[in-house]
Amino acid sequence: MKRRSFLATAGAGLAAGAIAKPAIAQSMPEIRWRLTSGFPKSLDTIYGGAEFLAKYVSAATDGKFQIQPFSAGEIVGTFQAADAVAGGTVEMSHTATYYYVGKDPTYAAAAALPFTLNARQLNAWNYHGGGIALVNEFMAKQNLYALPGGNTGTQMGGWFRKEIKTVDDLKGLKMRIAGIAGQVMQKLGAIPQQVAGGDIYPSLERGTIDAAEWIGPYDDEKLGFQKVAPYYYYPGFWEGGLTIHFLFNKQKWESLPKNYQAILESACMAANLDMLAKYDAKNPAALRSLVASGAQLRPFSQEILDAAYKATNEVYAEISAQNADFKKIVDSIRAFRNEEYLWFQVAEYAFDTYMIRARTRG
């Protein structure tokens, strides 16, 4: 009897052991997601952020969590990415949220606002100034969850087919420009156009647009803008830094195991750092190459910058009066900006100003 009892007990124990899964296996399920990018695959910097994240997540989960990136247009176009994620067509996206300014200007506030923060300051606001939480108060209403996943640094002011010396030269100018910046330029007389990155060159070549801003020397050279619009202006006052976001379907994000959420958070932060570092490393040589091939560098005049600053504040006031979500974010960013430049004007400004002069001395 004792032998039969032992065998029965042992058998039950073995069966239970065969059925039970180790805790580590339960927390590392096999998951396959699709990611739609807002950018063409030819741009290894900005599109590359999605590839960076996919490799990071796969390595951190021993291949259990696979994310497959698709370039803009392979599943949906650049301007449909947010809707595709919110609606569950894909689980996530990597994009500049100001592309969806037409849906709600708060999308643009999450990405870049004229005359506000540079890349380092944006990261400070996002990670330590409550920015991520504020952005996600809005994104939750869109069935999205957002994390910073890249930054371009301060951008150039764009490519123009003719010289732009005064505000009058902007009147009637058809310019590819995204986000709130389009509304600012409209106040100055330009006609803003929404054009996806891969369509800018043919639009300039055909004369459908007269000018276009994209990012900066490295990407701009890859897209060949200097061949069709020789005047290269700076600075891109509308983007002291552009936060690129990873957008997640809210239900899909919340359904992930906590350890997968933590891995994604770390991967997004690493992708954010990596993209900015790539642009800083690659832009100097690209700028030299562009100038050597005929690009004519021009600064925006003080008249244009002052007029744009005034117009920007008018746009902020007009939108804030009608949109509480936008106002909450823009007020937070502007208050943070004022404190940041209190600091930046001391050590940072003094150091950078000296080094700009000193570099020519070797």
Side-chain angles (χ1 to χ4, degrees), residues 81-141:
D83 284 342
V85 176
T89 301
V90 293
E91 289 81 8
M92 62 183 295
S93 177
H94 188 229
T95 188
T97 57
Y98 60 23
Y99 290 146
Y100 318 112
V101 65
K103 291 169 60 66
D104 190 309
T106 314
Y107 276 105
L113 288 169
F115 294 108
T116 54
L117 303 175
N118 65 24
R120 279 180 54 194
Q121 293 164 348
L122 267 171
N123 282 336
W125 177 74
N126 273 310
Y127 295 123
H128 297 287
I132 290 174
L134 273 180
V135 166
N136 278 308
E137 282 183 24
F138 167 75
M139 291 296 178
K141 301 174 186 178

Side-chain angles (χ1 to χ4, degrees), residues 180 183-184 187 311-320 326:
I180 299 298
Q183 298 179 42
V184 172
K187 277 185 173 289
T312 295
N313 288 329
E314 291 171 359
V315 169
Y316 290 159
E318 290 164 5
I319 299 175
S320 294
F326 178 89

Side-chain angles (χ1 to χ4, degrees), residues 183-316:
Q183 298 179 42
V184 172
M185 295 301 280
Q186 191 169 26
K187 277 185 173 289
L188 301 183
I191 304 169
Q193 308 286 310
Q194 282 269 50
V195 181
D199 297 325
I200 296 174
Y201 183 93
S203 297
L204 280 169
E205 188 177 39
R206 292 193 302 265
T208 308
I209 56 176
D210 305 307
E213 61 82 31
W214 180 237
I215 293 176
Y218 182 72
D219 284 352
D220 292 2
E221 184 179 35
K222 275 181 168 285
L223 295 177
F225 298 147
Q226 74 278 9
K227 300 172 186 175
V228 286
Y231 299 102
Y232 199 19
Y233 277 84
Y234 63 91
F237 55 81
W238 45 82
E239 287 170 283
L242 165 63
T243 298
I244 306 296
H245 281 91
F246 286 105
L247 298 180
F248 304 90
N249 176 278
K250 189 169 180 290
Q251 283 78 39
K252 288 293 185 180
W253 171 265
E254 291 171 350
S255 70
L256 287 174
K258 293 298 182 185
N259 61 323
Y260 276 14
Q261 289 181 356
I263 287 168
L264 272 173
E265 287 169 351
S266 296
C268 288
M269 187 178 287
N272 188 28
L273 172 64
D274 183 70
M275 184 185 293
L276 181 59
K278 277 183 180 174
Y279 276 117
D280 282 343
K282 292 175 180 290
N283 276 332
L287 183 61
R288 287 181 184 276
S289 176
L290 284 168
V291 171
S293 65
Q296 299 186 47
L297 286 178
R298 297 284 190 276
F300 283 125
S301 68
Q302 193 65 45
E303 176 197 339
I304 289 174
L305 291 175
D306 288 344
Y309 188 81
K310 179 176 181 291
T312 295
N313 288 329
E314 291 171 359
V315 169
Y316 290 159

